[in-house]
Amino acid sequence: MSNIMPLIRNETIKMVKKKRLYIIFIVLAVLVPMFTYAQMKSAENNRDKFGGDWRLELQQAITDNQNSLGSDRVPEEYKKYRTVYIQQMQYYLENDINPKEPGGVTFTREFMNNAVGLFIPLLIMAIASDLVSGERTTGTIKMLLTRPVKRWKVLLSKLITLIMFVSIIVVSAYIICYVISGAVFGYKGFGMPIFTGFKVVGTDVDMSAVHAVDQWLYMLMQAGLIWFVSIIVAMLAFMVSVLVRSTAASIVIMMASLIAGTILTSMAASWQSAKYLFMVNLELPDYLSGGLPPIEGMNLGFSLIVLSVWGIASLFVSFIVFTKRDILN
């Protein structure tokens, strides 16, 4: 394995020189202030409306959702989500804990929770989709493969480098969110209790395993799940990059898959087989907060297994194709 280190160093240098890596950080630095401003205006409106009484605000949210359950204009699927939401918010209310306590930590937790389904995967896709296809387009892959190094080691060095930079992007997203939103909402809140362990059974919520954890611990578990999702998306984009010669085609395929997953997640409740698609299993942090799964029967263990199978299969295909295919022509 000693001769793989120079390859990893070489891939790292190539990755650092890519403009799109810095574009990812710029996108985060531009979008996070926008979301922070929107959150600040929403908090100001609620403060004016409810006089800063979070219990009154939460009770109003519960009442609004209860009223919507009787409306014929609200689809049955949305009513299930709202029923679960009502039960969870009542639990917070009864235990005198504000689930949306204003603060940079809470904002970061909520932002990352909402970003894991599409936003974070799109950022990962931006650096993973051209890792091999980009070099085939420019022809630099020929120079790389003429070295006296086995092909699988060349591909492994690219994979290791990709995992390193995926980890950097996930950590950077947390840091940028916390630093920017904390400047507006304050940097406290790591010790705030968050309830986890909600178990959804049909449209009822089983509270028997619910327990409070500090927000820093909750975010650590959330970050682990987001990192796992990011690695699986990176592996899939990596496989597409090996299979497709064109970088543009590689990006379009992954983007279409991720956007289709977002649509399926909200529309495929009655399509049971869709739960085996990787795109429907990306929102792992929802299991921590006790959200209703996209399709009945899904849980954290199931989604972890499905994503692991997709990740392993994509690596298998990538290495087989890369070592067997005539890439030089």
Side-chain angles (χ1 to χ4, degrees):
M1 295 294 286
S2 59
N3 59 352
I4 201 171
M5 291 308 295
L7 291 172
I8 295 174
R9 193 179 307 117
N10 184 44
E11 293 300 326
T12 302
I13 293 171
K14 285 192 284 187
M15 187 72 83
V16 170
K17 288 183 177 179
K18 287 182 178 177
K19 291 181 181 177
R20 65 182 61 185
L21 177 65
Y22 301 100
I23 291 174
I24 289 173
F25 298 131
I26 292 172
V27 167
L28 282 169
V30 171
L31 289 184
V32 171
M34 291 173 60
F35 289 118
T36 302
Y37 180 75
Q39 186 70 34
M40 183 186 71
K41 298 301 290 182
S42 175
E44 285 177 356
N45 291 337
N46 288 333
R47 191 163 51 244
D48 293 340
K49 186 175 180 180
F50 301 103
D53 186 345
W54 70 266
R55 294 180 62 86
L56 191 61
E57 180 184 343
L58 193 58
Q59 184 59 60
Q60 184 61 52
I62 292 172
T63 303
D64 290 343
N65 279 277
Q66 285 174 330
N67 293 337
S68 70
L69 296 180
S71 172
D72 294 333
R73 291 181 294 179
V74 178
E76 289 301 319
E77 288 304 319
Y78 290 111
K79 288 183 180 178
K80 291 180 182 177
Y81 285 98
R82 294 183 184 191
T83 301
V84 171
Y85 172 82
I86 290 167
Q87 294 176 67
Q88 290 178 332
M89 292 306 105
Q90 284 176 333
Y91 192 85
Y92 274 98
L93 200 58
E94 291 166 2
N95 287 274
D96 199 28
I97 292 176
N98 182 4
K100 298 182 179 179
E101 178 75 29
V105 185
T106 303
F107 175 89
T108 303
R109 172 172 59 84
E110 288 293 324
F111 179 85
M112 295 302 290
N113 221 38
N114 292 321
V116 67
L118 185 61
F119 184 60
I120 295 294
L122 285 176
L123 297 182
I124 301 302
M125 181 204 71
I127 64 164
S129 292
D130 74 333
L131 217 52
V132 177
S133 60
E135 293 212 45
R136 292 182 70 185
T137 302
T138 59
T140 54
I141 193 73
K142 295 180 180 178
M143 295 176 60
L144 193 60
L145 295 183
T146 53
R147 295 182 180 182
V149 182
K150 294 186 181 298
R151 283 191 178 191
W152 68 267
K153 288 187 177 180
V154 172
L155 196 63
L156 181 60
S157 67
K158 289 181 177 293
L159 178 64
I160 292 173
T161 306
L162 177 61
I163 291 173
M164 286 167 46
F165 279 88
V166 166
S167 305
I168 290 171
I169 290 172
V170 172
V171 173
S172 298
Y174 269 96
I175 292 174
I176 291 172
C177 273
Y178 177 62
V179 170
I180 294 176
S181 63
V184 176
F185 301 115
Y187 293 104
K188 297 180 180 179
F190 282 105
M192 191 186 93
I194 299 292
F195 286 119
T196 186
F198 294 102
K199 186 178 180 182
V200 180
V201 182
T203 55
D204 291 324
V205 181
D206 181 0
M207 309 283 189
S208 59
V210 174
H211 59 283
V213 297
D214 289 344
Q215 190 157 224
W216 68 267
L217 180 58
Y218 186 95
M219 289 179 68
L220 200 60
M221 293 188 289
Q222 179 199 50
L225 294 175
I226 291 175
W227 180 83
F228 179 77
V229 167
S230 301
I231 293 296
I232 297 299
V233 171
M235 289 178 177
L236 288 161
F238 187 66
M239 177 188 69
V240 175
S241 178
V242 171
L243 295 175
V244 178
R245 183 184 292 269
S246 165
T247 300
S250 178
I251 291 175
V252 168
I253 290 171
M254 280 305 297
M255 189 177 292
S257 301
L258 292 171
I259 294 174
T262 303
I263 299 171
L264 278 173
T265 300
S266 59
M267 297 181 63
S270 58
W271 180 21
Q272 283 290 317
S273 302
K275 64 185 178 183
Y276 298 107
L277 298 174
F278 82 90
M279 310 91 84
V280 182
N281 289 275
L282 295 182
E283 299 188 11
L284 295 184
D286 278 357
Y287 293 118
L288 283 181
S289 58
L292 193 68
I295 299 173
E296 192 172 353
M298 294 174 65
N299 55 42
L300 179 58
F302 174 85
S303 291
L304 287 173
I305 291 172
V306 169
L307 290 175
S308 297
V309 170
W310 276 93
I312 293 170
S314 64
L315 286 183
F316 181 77
V317 172
S318 299
F319 278 87
I320 291 294
V321 171
F322 190 78
T323 53
K324 300 294 184 185
R325 179 188 275 180
D326 182 10
I327 296 177
L328 297 177
N329 296 315

